[in-house]
Amino acid sequence: MVRFESGRICLDLVATGAYEREQLGGAEQLGSWLIGYGLLPPGSPLAGVDPDWTPRFLELRACVGQLARAELGAPAEGAAVALDRLNALAAAPPPPVRATRGAHGGLVRTLERVPECGALLAFVARDAIDLLTDPGALALLRQCEGDTCRLLYLDTSRGRRRRWCSSEACGNRERVARHRRRVAAL
């Protein structure tokens, strides 16, 4: 699985659909994503993550992506439906967590019980609502300027002038293309 950290868990979910190969192709990949991005503590039992969860997370991903892009000026067709669905998903209670002593004596986050899909969806949906309703966070929202890249991220760079999801990937491709255009023009 390709890992992209956008600065918000809801945008990290959107990023799973920005690649040629689906990042959340089934329950196992979804479970790995939930643990990898901290929605489930490491070592959480994934028995509850079943194939029915994946389409629900893909639906939330589509809603968040559509609403975030609409905030950046993309056509807002269907945004009202996406907003209604986001609000409905956010209404469920989030998974109950608790602090317990870990094997090394420090406090670790654990789940009160195996979470239900709706609780995890609510957690991500609430993060999206927090992002979309916070003018400060929304001002940092960007879409990568790479020609074929659809990644969204929060620009937390010093000058707030970040243009690409990654300087090493999209930024480098743009610099190489610019160099080739200059050489071709000679």
Side-chain angles (χ1 to χ4, degrees):
M1 179 177 295
V2 179
R3 184 171 173 99
F4 176 72
E5 293 193 27
S6 64
R8 294 298 285 254
I9 192 69
C10 62
L11 297 178
D12 293 341
L13 177 63
V14 173
T16 65
Y19 300 97
E20 288 180 23
R21 199 174 117 249
E22 175 60 61
Q23 298 293 298
L24 300 179
E28 186 175 321
Q29 288 178 311
L30 176 59
S32 295
W33 184 84
L34 292 169
I35 289 175
Y37 281 89
L39 271 77
L40 294 176
S44 293
L46 296 178
V49 179
D50 65 42
D52 294 338
W53 288 32
T54 304
R56 295 174 70 188
F57 271 88
L58 296 180
E59 177 189 24
L60 175 58
R61 178 178 78 185
C63 291
V64 174
Q66 184 174 19
L67 291 168
R69 288 184 176 91
E71 290 298 315
L72 290 172
E77 220 173 277
V81 172
L83 183 59
D84 288 344
R85 188 64 186 135
L86 178 69
N87 286 326
L89 291 169
V97 295
R98 60 186 305 172
T100 59
R101 292 279 172 206
H104 297 32
L107 291 175
V108 295
R109 183 173 62 101
T110 60
L111 297 175
E112 186 76 28
R113 60 184 173 275
V114 176
E116 297 173 1
C117 182
L120 295 170
L121 287 166
F123 182 85
V124 179
R126 288 174 184 196
D127 182 60
I129 289 171
D130 288 346
L131 168 65
L132 296 169
T133 60
D134 177 355
L138 202 52
L140 302 176
L141 182 63
R142 306 278 188 277
Q143 180 162 344
C144 180
E145 292 181 20
D147 288 339
T148 60
C149 189
R150 301 181 340 210
L151 289 172
L152 298 167
Y153 61 90
L154 295 184
D155 180 4
T156 56
S157 65
R158 237 171 80 168
R160 306 290 187 260
R161 295 179 3 188
R162 181 175 162 192
R163 297 178 50 204
W164 303 292
C165 61
S166 165
S167 182
E168 294 81 22
C170 289
N172 193 47
R173 276 193 288 275
E174 177 62 28
R175 288 187 289 275
V176 168
R178 207 172 25 220
H179 173 74
R180 287 183 179 155
R181 286 192 297 269
R182 279 194 305 264
V183 168
L186 295 177

